Amino acid sequence: MNYLVPIIAVFGFYNITSKINNKLNLKINDFYFSIFSFLIFLGLTLILILSQIKLNTVFSGLLIIFCISTLHFVYTNSNSIYLFLIKEKILSIFLIFFSILTLLPIAGADSYAYHLAWPQDLIDDPKILFDKLFLESRVIGTGEIVNYIGLILGTENLLSFLTFVVLFSYILRFKKGRRNLILLIILSSPIYYKYLNDQKPLLLPCIFLIIFIENFFSKISQKNINNLDIASFFLSLSFFANSKYPFLLIAFSVFLFFLYVSIKENFFKRYFLVGLIIFF
């Protein structure tokens, strides 16, 4: 069950958010809205954690909902999945192989030392947010909340599988013309293999930020920026900045750059207000 939970959680969550997006008619791509919703979900989970609420029962219920949602996703998309497997045989084998790798037992000692240790301690005793004797807790960031969600659902591999799904879904859906080149670059990058089966929250925050920065640039060039685009950018920037201390300076530089762009492109007020709401 440990190896099925990441699949159930990721695709179940995506199916739910896509239905919400279609129902609300927000005119935003399901992929972007799903990531936006996940970042909101992370924020709400963090608030509940800080409130020292025991969430085991809540997430057990969510897992059941995700199971039903995943079955519905497979049923409604069975023809598309089958056609993709037939048409893209080599790519399908590659994706299945690498997805299995993300679900194998963890290889990195650091993952067990604190990336998973702190969330597990928090699940065992929600009243103790940080153990003063546990020095590694001083470098805990928002990335560990993803591991917390995974552990409370019953898996250690949620972060690695989610990173894989988001990265390759983005390439296959939005970079079709340069798909083979991008896949080749990724597969020739040692850093990807290093974190492929690890639960260090390094790749996922970077991927989220890159996705929404590109979306932000696209909307700016089209003169079609809405508040949801700005909120998505700031949520990804906040997740990135709070994942690791070294990311803070990078995030601040990105914030200043787009602050300048917002002034130049006449959406400074919205940029400032949305950023203020999300960060504070």
Side-chain angles (χ1 to χ4, degrees):
M1 185 64 179
N2 178 60
Y3 305 111
L4 291 177
V5 168
I7 300 171
I8 292 169
V10 171
F11 288 102
F13 185 86
Y14 173 77
N15 189 56
I16 291 170
T17 56
S18 63
K19 298 301 179 186
I20 294 173
N21 185 30
N22 293 333
K23 190 73 174 178
L24 296 177
N25 194 26
L26 295 175
K27 297 179 180 179
I28 182 174
N29 187 279
D30 288 342
F31 178 79
Y32 290 116
F33 184 73
S34 184
I35 297 176
F36 171 81
S37 302
F38 178 71
L39 291 171
I40 293 289
F41 182 70
L42 280 183
L44 293 174
T45 303
L46 178 59
I47 291 172
L48 293 174
I49 288 172
L50 295 175
S51 302
Q52 301 182 344
I53 298 173
K54 200 171 183 65
L55 299 175
N56 301 60
T57 304
V58 174
F59 277 91
S60 296
L62 283 176
L63 184 59
I64 295 172
I65 295 172
F66 291 153
C67 285
I68 298 170
S69 179
T70 301
L71 292 173
H72 180 266
F73 175 82
V74 173
Y75 175 75
T76 55
N77 295 278
S78 56
N79 289 334
S80 299
I81 295 171
Y82 175 76
L83 290 174
F84 179 82
L85 293 173
I86 296 299
K87 184 179 179 181
E88 302 281 359
K89 292 185 179 67
I90 296 177
L91 181 60
S92 298
I93 293 171
F94 157 78
L95 291 174
I96 292 170
F97 174 73
F98 274 88
S99 63
I100 291 173
L101 288 182
T102 66
L103 298 172
L104 292 177
I106 298 168
D110 278 354
S111 295
Y112 284 117
Y114 73 94
H115 295 296
L116 290 168
W118 176 78
Q120 186 59 58
D121 289 343
L122 194 59
I123 292 170
D124 295 337
D125 188 358
K127 301 296 182 183
I128 301 177
L129 289 176
F130 298 106
D131 185 350
K132 294 180 180 180
L133 298 178
F134 184 43
L135 298 181
E136 284 83 356
S137 65
R138 299 179 183 180
V139 292
I140 293 299
T142 51
E144 275 71 35
I145 305 300
V146 181
N147 285 331
Y148 173 89
I149 293 171
L151 288 173
I152 206 168
L153 287 173
T155 179
E156 297 176 344
N157 299 79
L158 179 62
L159 180 63
S160 56
F161 183 75
L162 177 62
T163 302
F164 168 81
V165 171
V166 171
L167 176 60
F168 287 95
S169 295
Y170 179 66
I171 294 170
L172 294 176
R173 295 185 67 170
F174 300 100
K175 301 296 177 183
K176 293 179 181 179
R178 291 176 286 174
R179 184 184 71 184
N180 293 336
L181 176 61
I182 295 173
L183 290 175
L184 182 63
I185 292 172
I186 292 173
L187 295 179
S188 62
S189 302
I191 190 171
Y192 178 70
Y193 292 98
K194 175 177 174 57
Y195 296 112
L196 178 66
N197 188 238
D198 218 334
Q199 305 310 309
K200 294 180 180 179
L202 293 175
L203 288 181
L204 188 64
C206 297
I207 293 169
F208 279 176
L209 184 60
I210 289 170
I211 288 172
F212 282 115
I213 282 179
E214 184 178 37
N215 177 65
F216 211 25
F217 270 127
S218 176
K219 292 299 182 71
I220 291 171
S221 64
Q222 297 170 13
K223 307 289 185 180
N224 186 30
I225 305 169
N226 57 47
N227 292 335
L228 195 59
D229 295 323
I230 300 173
S232 299
F233 164 74
F234 272 115
L235 283 172
S236 64
L237 186 65
S238 177
F239 180 54
F240 175 83
N242 290 288
S243 294
K244 288 290 177 185
Y245 290 121
F247 290 171
L248 284 170
L249 183 58
I250 300 173
F252 184 65
S253 300
V254 172
F255 168 78
L256 290 179
F257 172 77
F258 279 102
L259 178 65
Y260 165 75
V261 172
S262 71
I263 296 171
K264 186 177 179 181
E265 297 294 332
N266 299 317
F267 63 94
F268 168 74
K269 288 183 180 179
R270 287 187 292 156
Y271 182 86
F272 181 78
L273 289 174
V274 174
L276 194 65
I277 291 170
I278 290 175
F279 279 102
F280 298 102

